[in-house]
Amino acid sequence: MELASKLKELSQKITTLKEQIETEEATKTAFVLPFIDLLGYDIFNPTEVIPEFTADIGLKKGEKVDYAIIENKAPILIIECKHWKEDLNTHNSQLFRYFHTSKSRFALLTNGIEYKFFTDLEETNKMDEKPFLEFDITKLKEPVINEVVKFHKTKFDVNQIVNNASSLKYSKEIKKIFNSQLIEPENDFVRFFSSRVYSGRQTERVLEQFKELVSKSINQLISEKVNERLHNALNKEEEKLVEESIEHEEKNENKIVTTEEEMEAYRVVVAILRKKIPIERIAFRDTQSYFGVLLDDNNRKPLCRFHFNGKTKYLGVFDANKKEIRKKIATIDDIYKFDSKLLETINYYEEFVKEKTN
């Protein structure tokens, strides 16, 4: 996405230059105007981007907002800028007054680093107290970039942005509330859970005991969900690597020579594993680097590997995470020393199937 790369370039520029920017005007020139430009608006065209846009407020005439982006001779976004070191929270009221006199549905308050977009969700032509979109341009994330794209000249659609603004705004507030409850849960939040698992009276003492338990349980659940997603992502990557390995092996099949020694070792492994599973479930695939024994002829279910190509022989066995551990052997008969480990590998796959079934 071209806009995404331009935003990241601006982000890097700001991080590098900000300490050299000493005035509000310099902030506008170095940070804010490049942002307007990457949204597709011609900052040198006074009919499209108007600096010092007049916004008369009641009896006060000649009040000006820093910039207004114009479409069909009407403002679609008014922008108030501050020095990059200033706290934007102290300037909402000024933009609030400008918004009321403007026909624009959107207002932006920025110091070139923090960006706060407002609209009038709660009352028509009256700017909401809280922004529906806010971000730090030096800490951009993909979801934010997707929202900024909607303000690009080629994508701008008032109704679409307003409709989306509602869910953005309230979703942000819900996340903020939920995060605060995770840190310091209130009694009502705790009572929601305790009343469903504890049948006694919901006294202050009971709620105090449940506070830590609720916070700990939810944080643990979130951690488990994150780990689960990470595990699934790693599994997909592993499957991809396995598929690539299979393709590579197939291309080099004509270079593979299966030795009698490898087949003898395979027969020993079959003799061990047949105690646990039918022989027809035990298969092998020979490769240039190792001889693999598989469950159900599935490359994702390795039972063991023989590494007999070098001077030293190794038997590769697997743990519960499919990590290969090489064991040095002197003779083929030494494989019998690892019979319990080979049988344990089958247990891993059976337990995994049970977990998925349940």
Side-chain angles (χ1 to χ4, degrees), residues 86-88 109-116 135-137:
E86 285 198 45
D87 180 1
L88 294 181
L109 178 62
T110 181
N111 58 13
I113 295 177
E114 291 179 78
Y115 285 77
K116 296 188 176 188
F135 59 87
D136 182 328
I137 200 169

Side-chain angles (χ1 to χ4, degrees), residues 53-57 65 67-70 74-79 95-107 120 124-127:
F53 180 73
T54 302
D56 292 335
I57 305 169
V65 65
Y67 298 103
I69 295 177
I70 306 298
I76 58 172
L77 175 65
I78 59 172
I79 305 170
L95 189 60
F96 181 91
R97 296 197 304 273
Y98 293 154
F99 187 92
H100 183 66
T101 62
S102 166
K103 294 180 181 179
S104 173
R105 291 294 304 275
F106 306 106
D120 54 352
T124 304
N125 202 33
K126 184 177 180 183
M127 191 180 89

Side-chain angles (χ1 to χ4, degrees), residues 123-182:
E123 191 175 334
T124 304
N125 202 33
K126 184 177 180 183
M127 191 180 89
D128 298 335
E129 289 186 11
K130 295 180 179 180
F132 68 87
L133 174 65
E134 59 182 315
F135 59 87
D136 182 328
I137 200 169
T138 63
K139 301 173 184 176
L140 282 173
K141 295 181 180 179
E142 199 64 35
V144 168
I145 294 174
N146 293 336
E147 295 306 321
V148 175
V149 167
K150 293 171 186 172
F151 281 92
H152 193 275
K153 184 178 179 180
T154 60
K155 305 283 186 181
F156 190 85
D157 183 317
V158 173
N159 293 329
Q160 184 183 26
I161 298 175
V162 169
N163 291 338
N164 191 51
S166 178
S167 60
L168 272 177
K169 179 181 177 180
Y170 297 122
S171 175
K172 182 187 69 176
E173 292 302 313
I174 290 169
K175 288 176 185 175
K176 192 181 293 183
I177 293 169
F178 188 68
N179 187 56
S180 68
Q181 295 301 318
L182 292 180

